[in-house]
Amino acid sequence: MSIFTYNGGAIIAMSGKNCIGIASDTRLGIQFQTVACDFQKVFKMSSKLFLGLAGLATDVQTLEKLLQFRMNLYELREERPMSPKAFAELLSNVLYEKRFGSYFVEPIVAGLNDDGAPFLVNM
Amino acid sequence: MGDSIIGVKFSGGVIIAADQSNARSILVYQSNLDKIPSLTSHSMLGCSGPNADIVNFSEFIAKNLELYRLSNDDMILSPHAQANFARGELAKALRKGPFQVNALLGGYDVKSKEGELYWMDYLGTLQKVNFGAQGYAGYFVLSTMDREWKEGMNEAEALEVVKHGISNLGTRLLLNQPNWLIKVVDEKGVRTIEFGADPADC
């Protein structure tokens, strides 16, 4: 049994011309048992930024809330929207803080820069 | 896994049923345990797990919700807020000293006038569901509830679904769970519909 497959999940993202797409399954399981079929794993952080989180469901939910919180703080202080690059760097930092006691997630950041160019990061 | 909890949402409320056995290994300590403590006047938490964790976690959440009410002009948090608060506490405790509690939170939302049921596990996973189960019960009743649950059921219909599940477990689950406690929460609050053994003076 792997902690990463305990709840199950798959995320896929792709870039195109001035666009990105991101998709996930919506199953919540406990190993082989299915608990729900409408579990959210891709989150819209802003109009041009999506975060997909696969892995242990509790950490998916904790990270979504944590990053939304950090992003809100950033935008309040900076008084401007957070760029996908900055968001990805923030996520990387948040994860590394728990280097020796980590969140069991495999994130994908998918967004569009100000100039419309696609931005994809897999961690 | 030994504790069976079944929850069903209906139009205007939620029913939660739990077995009343308190047992470890081959010994049954008690057969009238109440595993569905109330959190607020309009919410309850059906809990599965060691008795210590059930009591400590549910009282911790309930008292914090009461403190919120006292500090915030008599405001009772919505079931959605209560569930997310509880989830946060489970997630916080996970990497320190986890509460080994798997729960079903059933509440009545005064704003939407709807019942809401939340499935929560000890890791801090949270999902709003129409029906759910904790413990071995899930292996038997999720399929019957998949079939029988309908949108817009009334309390009597929901109770039928729950009782069908309980009867199913009585037939097919190896563990003997003779007594079941069934509670409902609706606009009138939390109340007991029926019990196998009187949980008074647990």
Side-chain angles (χ1 to χ4, degrees), chain A residues 38 58-59 61-62 65 102, chain B residues 84 87 95 123 126-127 138:
Chain A
D38 54 357
T58 179
D59 286 346
Q61 294 182 313
T62 297
K65 292 179 199 300
S102 51
Chain B
N84 275 280
R87 187 216 89 86
R95 287 166 159 100
L123 300 167
L126 176 68
Q127 180 70 356

Side-chain angles (χ1 to χ4, degrees), chain A:
Chain A
M1 189 206 79
S2 160
I3 303 175
F4 285 100
T5 58
Y6 183 73
N7 293 126
I11 317 268
I12 186 168
M14 197 159 115
S15 68
K17 183 173 178 181
N18 289 350
C19 68
I20 51 104
I22 185 165
S24 76
D25 74 306
T26 54
R27 178 182 173 271
L28 175 68
I30 305 290
Q31 297 194 288
F32 281 121
Q33 186 179 65
T34 299
V35 172
C37 303
D38 54 357
F39 188 74
Q40 193 180 0
K41 301 174 201 190
V42 175
F43 305 96
K44 186 173 173 186
M45 306 308 282
S46 79
S47 61
K48 300 240 176 105
L49 184 62
F50 289 88
L51 174 65
L53 290 165
L56 195 63
T58 179
D59 286 346
V60 166
Q61 294 182 313
T62 297
L63 268 182
E64 189 260 320
K65 292 179 199 300
L66 196 56
L67 285 165
Q68 188 63 252
F69 169 67
R70 294 293 299 267
M71 191 168 169
N72 290 346
L73 268 181
Y74 179 99
E75 292 185 347
L76 281 168
R77 290 180 178 135
E78 298 277 320
E79 291 180 356
R80 63 188 172 97
M82 197 169 187
S83 69
K85 179 171 187 291
F87 182 83
E89 298 280 357
L90 171 64
L91 172 58
S92 174
N93 255 278
V94 165
L95 293 175
Y96 196 77
E97 264 181 336
K98 302 282 180 199
R99 172 64 178 84
F100 300 109
S102 51
Y103 293 111
F104 299 107
V105 292
E106 290 169 309
I108 295 184
V109 177
L112 290 179
N113 292 328
D114 274 334
D115 59 4
F119 181 89
L120 285 180
V121 170
N122 193 188
M123 292 185 200

Side-chain angles (χ1 to χ4, degrees), chain B residues 166-180:
Chain B
I166 293 174
S167 139
N168 212 0
L169 287 170
T171 310
R172 293 300 183 186
L173 180 61
L174 181 69
L175 292 180
N176 187 34
Q177 295 173 142
N179 296 321
W180 283 79

Side-chain angles (χ1 to χ4, degrees), chain B residues 84-95:
Chain B
N84 275 280
F85 170 62
R87 187 216 89 86
E89 292 304 318
L90 286 169
K92 239 193 266 182
L94 178 63
R95 287 166 159 100

